[in-house]
Structure formats: C-alpha cells, structure tokens
Amino acid sequence: MTLDRREIVSLDLHADLHTAWAHLRQPELVRQWFGWDYDGLDAEIRDYFIAQPVVGQSYEGDNLTHTLTTPSHDVIAVTAASHDPGHTHLTITRRSHDGLATYDGVYDPIDEGWIQFAHQLQFLLRAHPGQERRTLSVFGLDAGDRRDRLLDRAGLHGVRGIPVGGHVQARRPDGTLLGGTLVYKAEHQFGLQLHGITESFLVILEVPIASHPPHGTVGAVLSTYGIDDATFAEVEERWSGWWARSQPHGTAVGA
C-alpha cells in the first residue's frame, strides 16, 4: 500500500500559533469546533486529540509548525511565521485512498468530516473565540429526486451558484427568511455564516447518489454560540420544523 499523502483541506486561521495549537490539544477547546454534540463526543476527542495522537514540531526558515498525527494516521498541522505571528495556517493530510475501507470510489466520509471540522474551527476563531458552542444536527435525510429536492424545499436551491463571500437569502417552508454569507463550498458540502440573534455556522453535507442510492442524502450541522437556554430552545424548535417540512413527499426526518 502506498504511503502517499493527500491534502484534504488548507486554510488560514485568525489566531496566533499558540492559540491554534491549544484548540487541538485542550479538550474543552476542541469541543467548541470538532464534530457536533452527541453522547460519544468527549471520548472521541480524548482518543483523537489527547490520549493517542503523536505530536511533533519543526522549523523551516522563520516558519514554526506543530503537527498532530491521529491514531488513524491523519496529520493536522498548524504553521505560523515569526514575521506574521497573528495568523496561522492549517492543513490536514491523509494517506492515499488505496486500501481505505471508508472510501467507496466516490465519497469519503472521513475526508468530508475533516473539511467540515476545519471550517468550523476557522469560524470559531474568527467569530466566537472563547465562547461555548451548542449544536443542532440532522443526518441521512433523503435528498429527493430532481423534481422534488430537499434543498429546494428548504430554500437553499440557489446556494451553489453564489460565489464564496456572497449573500444568501433563503425562505424556509414556514415562510421565514434566513440570511447569511457563503463561507465555503466543496464538492459535497458548503458552509454558511447565518446572520440573526447571533452569528451561527451552518454546514450542509451532501452524500451523492452513487454512494447512497436512489437519491443520495443530506445532513446539516448548526453551530451556535452565546445564546441562552430559552433562545436555544426556540432555535431548536425552528430547526426541527425546517427539516421536517422540507422532506420530499413520502419520506421521514432522519436522526
């Protein structure tokens, strides 16, 4: 099996190297960007970021790089230059697809996860540093056929035609408007910074038909920061209604 590595994601973080590295090593900070809220999240963070990874450090010119290699041999690297200490560059690399059981030749869920999580980290450090996150999520929703697509029903049909940095306005099935900015788009996912009571981050994940016939599936993760319990309950109620009403005819909401 070849040991060639692939770059999964590469982006700039609005933080110094010390802060960026702390968000890879301190569990309470990892929790503010990695994954989404579920019962096994703390154990996964402990295994991947605290107990089992191999850490390293290297210099190249005036660049200092810290690396964290996970138990599955994925490498997360953060690099900063001494002449620009306020900015850090993040890259995540993985081994070749040869022999990887998670890859079906079309869609790699681990790749997609790292893309999502890297952008969630970037958003946290830019928009809500030091704040606690709470998330809402839904997965495995039937994407619908071409005539009855879930994302069309959800009001997100035109997002992929908008340039990164462009404004997004969606009308949800209950008639309420959703405003935001397109932060990034990749082949199987995109991320929106939503403008409202608080700036939140919505990631839409699309599993293609070839990997999940007959229509493919849609998942969504919403990261919220700095809202109280009552407001979060309102957001949760609207979230559940949004996806329930967006389902193509004859399908049920996933868990």
Side-chain angles (χ1 to χ4, degrees):
M1 179 176 64
T2 179
L3 296 179
D4 290 345
R5 302 199 64 82
R6 301 172 295 116
E7 184 176 271
I8 306 305
V9 62
S10 175
L11 49 79
D12 291 324
L13 303 177
H14 298 260
D16 58 57
L17 184 60
H18 174 79
T19 300
W21 184 240
H23 280 76
L24 300 179
R25 298 296 291 151
Q26 297 180 23
E28 69 277 10
L29 296 179
V30 177
R31 208 180 201 288
Q32 307 317 317
W33 62 271
F34 179 72
W36 50 86
D37 294 333
Y38 77 103
D39 289 342
L41 178 60
D42 289 331
E44 187 174 5
I45 288 172
R46 183 177 62 251
D47 290 343
Y48 267 73
F49 294 91
I50 312 303
Q52 298 186 30
V54 176
V55 299
Q57 180 176 298
S58 63
Y59 289 90
E60 183 175 348
D62 68 346
N63 291 329
L64 172 59
T65 299
H66 292 299
T67 59
L68 182 149
T69 303
T70 73
S72 56
H73 306 288
D74 302 339
V75 178
I76 309 171
V78 285
T79 302
S82 59
H83 67 270
D84 189 17
H87 293 84
T88 303
H89 191 75
L90 168 75
T91 59
I92 300 176
T93 60
R94 301 188 68 215
R95 294 189 295 185
S96 165
H97 271 133
D98 293 344
L100 287 184
T102 59
Y103 184 58
D104 62 6
V106 177
Y107 181 86
D108 188 328
I110 307 301
D111 284 6
E112 298 303 316
W114 282 128
I115 294 169
Q116 173 192 349
F117 306 153
H119 284 281
Q120 288 176 178
L121 173 58
Q122 184 187 54
F123 176 76
L124 166 67
L125 292 174
R126 177 173 54 82
H128 295 289
Q131 292 190 325
E132 184 175 351
R133 178 183 70 151
R134 288 196 285 186
T135 71
L136 295 166
S137 59
V138 64
F139 301 101
L141 303 180
D142 189 320
D145 62 29
R146 294 181 180 180
R147 297 163 296 179
D148 192 23
R149 297 179 67 247
L150 180 142
L151 290 183
D152 293 347
R153 286 172 163 264
L156 298 171
H157 56 281
V159 171
R160 286 205 171 272
I162 295 172
V164 171
H167 180 69
V168 175
Q169 182 168 290
R171 185 174 295 277
R172 290 175 284 213
D174 65 359
T176 58
L177 292 176
L178 182 77
T181 301
L182 183 64
V183 175
Y184 78 96
K185 55 182 174 180
E187 183 178 4
H188 300 301
Q189 62 179 272
F190 58 86
L192 300 171
Q193 179 171 347
L194 302 183
H195 310 312
I197 298 173
T198 181
E199 299 293 293
S200 55
F201 194 55
L202 173 65
V203 176
I204 301 294
L205 305 157
E206 301 177 89
V207 178
I209 294 172
S211 295
H212 199 290
H215 302 138
T217 67
V218 171
V221 176
L222 179 69
S223 295
T224 69
Y225 297 86
I227 57 177
D228 58 29
D229 290 344
T231 303
F232 185 78
E234 293 177 10
V235 173
E236 185 173 24
E237 181 178 4
R238 178 163 288 176
W239 173 265
S240 299
W242 185 16
W243 297 111
R245 295 187 182 98
S246 298
Q247 283 294 286
H249 295 300
T251 58
V253 174

